[in-house]
Amino acid sequence: MTSLTALCTLVAVGILVLILSYIAMRGVSALNFRFLIDTPRPIGEGGGIGNAIVGSGMLLLLSCAVGIPVGIACGIYLSEFGGGWFVSAVRFLIDRLTGIPSIVTGVFVYAVIVLRMKHFSAFAGGIALALIMIPIVARTTEEMIKLVPHSLREGALALGAPQWRVTIGVVLPAAASGIATGAMLAIARVSGETAPLLFTAFGSRFFPRNLNEPIASLTVQIYNYAISPYDEWHAQAWAATLVLMALILSINILVRFLTRQKFR
Amino acid sequence: MSSSTSFATPKFEVKSHALLRSTATKIAVENLDFFYGKTQALRDISIEIPERQVMAFIGPSGCGKTTFLRTLNRMNDVIPGTRVEGNVTIDGADIYATGADVVELRRKVGMVFQKSNPFPKSIFDNVAYGLKINRVTSSRSELEGRVEEALKDAALWSEVKDRLKTSALGLSGGQQQRLCIARALAIRPEVILMDEPASALDPIATSKIEELIFDLKKQYTIVIVTHNMQQAARVSDLTAFFLLGKLIEVNSTEKMFTAPNQKLTEDYITGRFG
Ligand SMILES: Nc1ncnc2c1ncn2[C@@H]1O[C@H](COP(=O)(O)OP(=O)(O)OP(=O)(O)O)[C@@H](O)[C@H]1O
Ligand SMILES: [Mg+2]
């Protein structure tokens, strides 16, 4: 039994290591400092993904700014103030929302925001990503809050704390690391998304100037370069993939660091 | 136990309360019934708890001591599907009246739970929590003073004074229980409900808590649940005996442990059942 599980673990980890090292191998050749800070250029002139890195960062910030607070609020509502058919209905909807293919979210935002504003924008892209984050954050928050022992709430209530202060001051901190893990999952999930950005953020060859215009992102840039017929762009796509992976990894580490539990 | 030989009444050290100081009634309960869903846990309980005295609740496991204690600060409200009938007044005010302020009630009626439940925060923050919530003080030094005082009262200060900033979850079980006592004391409630506060404590800490209770009753009204007869005899002025959700007898502790009115009480106290 032990050896079987160990074997499976080994296979899984092995495949992961294989993928990572393959990406590193293919990506490292086109990688250099200029590549990281330059904007895309015509074939033969080099160029880079600086604008895509900044764009991805902005899209991610935007989606976190909307998705995480809304998701956490939703999760708190589901777990603390819930009960009854309404909450069950919301929970059901959120679960269905988690399963919706991200391209559908993209099309939805396209129809609701892009068509109405009559142009692609970073704003629309951020909203699309936020919509993907919300159900993930909401459900993990709900589950993590439910894990907080009831006796803790009672302890706080018995000291004369009103319900909302118990939630904010005792329950949320006790569930913080779990909620952060959920948020991190959501961030990792959306930072790899391409489909919902194709017809919302669209892409751009320039550094972003404001949120009301199309914006570049690593994933869309990788997609565009990967389907191009040029070897140079293929190499750049690999390098961009390597950068994307490194960024996701550092976000993970950063969040872990920020939410490391002081009191366990 | 079914032996027919009569047991010698165990010797309890009963503090002499020669004359029960006649004091005003702090908590008055009339015809209280309590239900967890359909099961009735308390039946027709009427009792008066006097001010600035210690009342002990005794009775076999599952008889409803905790449940009753929790009706006194409306802690049962947080359990879904529970129902209270009857009257509970504190200082003459009906605590279950519509519009009664539960938060205010719980500030006035502090509670130490049967299972210790420190917050996953630092030791200091645990004790300071109630003070901060109730905006007792805005000065840092006064806050620190109150925390220190509460920890000293709970006989915990010397053990934790050098690690106030460390997690409360790193304390031993008994230390955690004393921390919860300190937490309740810090906001200086008028009534303190203690649900077996010494069940996880060693004899030294237990006697410290008992001394504390003795001190506290100068200012506070104290209700303590205990399974330990000697403890009830040592710390309380009055004792109430519960059985199967009913209040069987309330009496001065001295009377209760020497010549109770009810046969059931005598049987329980002498260890013939329960
Ligand atoms: N949350 C609950 N839901 C349903 N029934 C409960 C609940 N809590 C307690 N009861 C029941 O109510 C009765 C009284 O329980 P309670 O906890 O008040 O007893 P107790 O006298 O404090 O016992 P112990 O000495 O073991 O702590 C028991 O039969 C118990 O099973
Ligand atoms: Mg109990």
Side-chain angles (χ1 to χ4, degrees):
Chain A
M1 194 62 207
T2 317
S3 51
L4 191 67
T5 51
L7 189 70
C8 291
T9 311
L10 212 65
V11 170
V13 171
I15 291 174
L16 196 67
V17 169
L18 211 64
I19 293 175
L20 288 177
S21 46
Y22 188 71
I23 291 173
M25 208 174 68
R26 296 290 303 259
V28 82
S29 65
L31 197 62
N32 56 55
F33 185 64
R34 264 219 79 72
F35 178 73
L36 292 180
I37 57 167
D38 207 355
T39 50
R41 286 171 196 280
I43 288 294
E45 293 180 26
I49 54 168
N51 61 329
I53 294 177
V54 174
S56 273
M58 282 173 63
L59 282 170
L60 219 52
L61 280 182
L62 201 61
S63 61
C64 287
V66 178
I68 291 180
V70 173
I72 290 180
C74 226
I76 292 175
Y77 180 77
L78 287 180
S79 58
E80 296 283 282
F81 306 104
W85 65 270
F86 181 68
V87 163
S88 310
V90 172
R91 189 176 296 122
F92 180 81
L93 276 180
I94 286 181
D95 281 346
R96 298 293 82 76
L97 221 56
T98 319
I100 286 182
S102 56
I103 194 157
V104 177
T105 311
V107 174
F108 170 76
V109 172
Y110 176 77
V112 171
I113 297 181
V114 176
L115 283 185
R116 200 152 295 179
M117 289 169 68
K118 299 197 169 54
H119 58 83
F120 299 109
S121 65
F123 175 69
I127 296 294
L129 295 184
L131 286 183
I132 298 171
M133 293 178 88
I134 288 170
I136 305 174
V137 176
R139 287 294 265 149
T140 15
T141 301
E142 182 189 5
E143 295 306 324
M144 290 306 141
I145 285 183
K146 278 189 182 156
L147 286 183
V148 176
H150 203 74
S151 60
L152 278 190
R153 290 164 227 255
E154 291 192 344
L157 286 172
L159 290 169
Q163 179 63 50
W164 67 272
R165 292 208 64 162
V166 177
T167 304
I168 305 273
V170 175
V171 177
L172 273 188
S177 73
I179 293 174
T181 309
M184 201 169 64
L185 274 175
I187 292 172
R189 160 88 196 274
V190 298
S191 49
E193 284 292 350
T194 317
L197 294 177
L198 285 173
F199 13 73
T200 54
F202 188 67
S204 160
R205 305 184 60 78
F206 310 105
F207 276 100
R209 279 171 310 170
N210 65 56
L211 296 178
N212 203 23
E213 58 185 28
I215 193 172
S217 63
L218 276 170
T219 47
V220 172
Q221 194 121 332
I222 291 168
Y223 170 77
N224 286 333
Y225 279 7
I227 60 170
S228 76
Y230 314 111
D231 282 343
E232 187 187 358
W233 278 6
H234 291 169
Q236 292 197 351
W238 280 112
T241 308
L242 182 59
V243 171
L244 178 63
M245 302 256 315
L247 285 182
I248 294 178
L249 192 69
S250 26
I251 292 174
N252 270 288
I253 293 172
L254 186 72
V255 175
R256 273 258 176 263
F257 179 74
L258 291 179
T259 60
R260 68 189 186 287
Q261 244 185 346
K262 271 183 280 182
F263 303 126
R264 254 230 147 270
Chain B
M1 285 186 239
S2 56
S3 168
S4 55
T5 53
S6 75
F7 289 86
T9 313
K11 291 242 157 32
F12 290 103
E13 173 215 344
V14 177
K15 282 212 172 95
S16 163
H17 307 293
L19 285 165
L20 277 176
R21 291 163 297 159
S22 58
T23 56
T25 299
K26 183 76 178 173
I27 306 175
V29 180
E30 271 175 73
N31 308 108
L32 183 91
D33 291 320
F34 185 85
F35 301 84
Y36 288 110
K38 287 204 169 63
T39 44
Q40 186 164 5
L42 298 175
R43 291 170 197 277
D44 196 26
I45 292 187
S46 297
I47 192 171
E48 290 190 355
I49 300 174
E51 198 173 48
R52 284 173 222 192
Q53 300 214 352
V54 179
M55 178 175 278
F57 289 175
I58 59 171
S61 184
C63 68
K65 303 180 297 293
T66 297
T67 305
F68 182 55
L69 206 64
R70 289 167 57 103
T71 59
L72 302 180
N73 65 345
R74 292 188 58 174
M75 219 48 221
N76 286 323
D77 289 17
V78 305
I79 303 175
T82 55
R83 189 156 56 87
V84 185
E85 279 167 17
N87 254 319
V88 181
T89 57
I90 296 184
D91 292 332
D94 181 359
I95 63 168
Y96 283 97
T98 40
D101 187 349
V102 183
V103 165
E104 194 50 48
L105 168 72
R106 291 178 187 151
R107 283 174 195 172
K108 196 158 126 177
V109 184
M111 177 161 219
V112 177
F113 292 82
Q114 189 163 7
K115 275 186 239 137
S116 65
N117 54 356
F119 305 132
K121 299 177 185 288
S122 73
I123 293 169
F124 184 89
D125 287 342
N126 261 275
V127 184
Y129 183 81
L131 298 169
K132 287 181 184 162
I133 284 288
N134 297 308
R135 291 212 194 82
V136 168
T137 167
S138 56
S139 109
R140 180 79 196 171
S141 59
E142 198 183 334
L143 186 71
E144 284 168 1
R146 290 280 292 259
V147 168
E148 178 175 341
E149 193 187 318
L151 284 168
K152 278 182 175 154
D153 281 347
L156 188 60
W157 175 251
S158 59
E159 287 156 72
V160 299
K161 64 174 189 288
D162 299 322
R163 50 191 281 211
L164 292 175
K165 294 275 169 265
T166 63
S167 171
L169 303 188
L171 296 172
S172 76
Q175 288 172 329
Q176 290 187 9
Q177 185 67 309
R178 276 176 284 156
L179 182 69
C180 293
I181 293 175
R183 196 171 69 183
L185 292 177
I187 57 172
R188 298 181 187 154
E190 294 172 23
V191 180
I192 304 177
L193 310 174
M194 296 180 155
D195 202 346
E196 294 189 53
S199 59
L201 303 185
D202 64 55
I204 295 172
T206 302
S207 70
K208 280 186 185 163
I209 295 299
E210 289 176 6
E211 276 166 36
L212 166 71
I213 291 171
F214 210 74
D215 281 345
L216 289 177
K217 78 171 178 190
K218 290 181 200 124
Q219 299 173 56
Y220 304 85
T221 304
I222 298 169
V223 182
I224 176 173
V225 172
T226 178
H227 276 286
N228 181 327
M229 297 303 133
Q230 282 85 356
Q231 185 170 59
R234 280 194 303 265
V235 302
S236 69
D237 304 295
L238 299 160
T239 301
F241 171 57
F242 291 81
L243 187 63
L244 298 171
K246 288 196 204 114
L247 175 61
I248 304 297
E249 180 172 353
V250 200
N251 221 326
S252 79
T253 299
E254 191 169 13
K255 187 100 177 8
M256 199 78 157
F257 283 97
T258 48
N261 295 337
Q262 303 289 324
K263 178 79 171 63
L264 282 170
T265 314
E266 187 178 350
D267 288 351
Y268 181 71
I269 286 172
T270 53
R272 231 163 293 180
F273 75 87

